[in-house]
């Protein structure tokens, strides 16, 4: 008489090695993803800091006075392109570089285009930057 009872056995050594290999590949993938996410999180924080510096510079340019209003301590419209109005020292103390470009378009002398660029190097050494652009008119609603 033969019986159909199968002998129950455990896992073989080859199956255990294959399972450990698959598990180790998955763990290595998670470690790589963790390092990638740390870089992305750091870049997000640096981008926020750079954006705050760029916005502060833009607001500094917008606190200008025309010749009519007579306000003191503000940037005169005619001298907005002067490089002394670019707050580079504040950016450099935070580890950023600040480039301010104020130009007058050919169409009108009553308009200034302002391009503020804040840059930094991430932990991999790649250059990152945030740029804000605007245009400011010589004429104000208060004049």
């Amino acid at each position: 008489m033969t019986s159909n009872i199968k002998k129950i056995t455990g896992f073989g050594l080859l199956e255990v090695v294959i399972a450990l290999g698959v598990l180790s590949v998955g763990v290595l993938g998670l470690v790589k993803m963790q390092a990638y996410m740390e870089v992305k999180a750091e870049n997000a924080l640096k981008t926020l800091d750079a954006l705050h510096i760029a916005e502060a510079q833009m607001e500094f340019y917008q606190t200008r006075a025309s010749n009519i209003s007579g306000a003191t301590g503000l940037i005169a419209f005619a001298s907005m392109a002067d490089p002394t109005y670019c707050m580079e020292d504040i950016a450099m103390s935070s580890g950023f570089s600040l480039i301010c470009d104020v130009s007058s378009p050919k169409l009108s002398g009553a308009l200034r285009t302002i391009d503020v660029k804040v840059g930094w190097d991430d932990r991999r050494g790649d250059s990152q930057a945030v740029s804000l652009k605007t245009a400011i008119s010589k004429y104000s609603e208060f004049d």
Side-chain angles (χ1 to χ4, degrees), residues 40-62:
K40 289 298 182 183
E42 183 181 346
N43 280 345
L45 291 174
K46 289 277 195 178
T47 301
L48 262 165
D49 292 340
L51 188 59
H52 287 301
I53 291 171
E55 287 175 344
Q57 179 65 47
M58 281 294 192
E59 287 186 17
F60 182 67
Y61 276 125
Q62 289 175 350

Side-chain angles (χ1 to χ4, degrees), residues 4-17:
N4 290 338
I5 299 175
K6 293 185 178 181
K7 186 176 179 184
I8 299 174
T9 60
F11 291 105
L13 182 61
L14 182 61
E15 293 163 334
V16 171
V17 169

Side-chain angles (χ1 to χ4, degrees), residues 16-132:
V16 171
V17 169
I18 290 172
L20 286 175
V22 170
L23 184 65
S24 65
V25 168
V27 169
L28 285 175
L30 288 175
V31 169
K32 176 131 175 111
M33 185 180 69
Q34 174 68 25
Y36 178 78
M37 293 305 291
E38 282 181 11
V39 169
K40 289 298 182 183
E42 183 181 346
N43 280 345
L45 291 174
K46 289 277 195 178
T47 301
L48 262 165
D49 292 340
L51 188 59
H52 287 301
I53 291 171
E55 287 175 344
Q57 179 65 47
M58 281 294 192
E59 287 186 17
F60 182 67
Y61 276 125
Q62 289 175 350
T63 58
R64 52 139 186 89
S66 68
N67 295 335
I68 300 171
S69 67
T72 58
L74 302 176
I75 303 172
F77 186 79
S79 64
M80 286 182 81
D82 189 359
T84 58
Y85 293 121
C86 191
M87 302 183 298
E88 294 173 348
D89 54 343
I90 294 172
M92 285 189 168
S93 67
S94 302
F96 295 94
S97 65
L98 178 65
I99 300 170
C100 305
D101 181 30
V102 179
S103 60
S104 180
K106 295 179 181 178
L107 297 176
S108 173
L111 185 68
R112 298 282 187 270
T113 57
I114 300 172
D115 184 12
V116 174
K117 184 176 181 181
V118 181
W120 71 96
D121 290 334
D122 63 6
R123 79 165 62 168
R124 292 181 177 168
D126 297 333
S127 294
Q128 305 288 332
V130 171
S131 180
L132 296 179

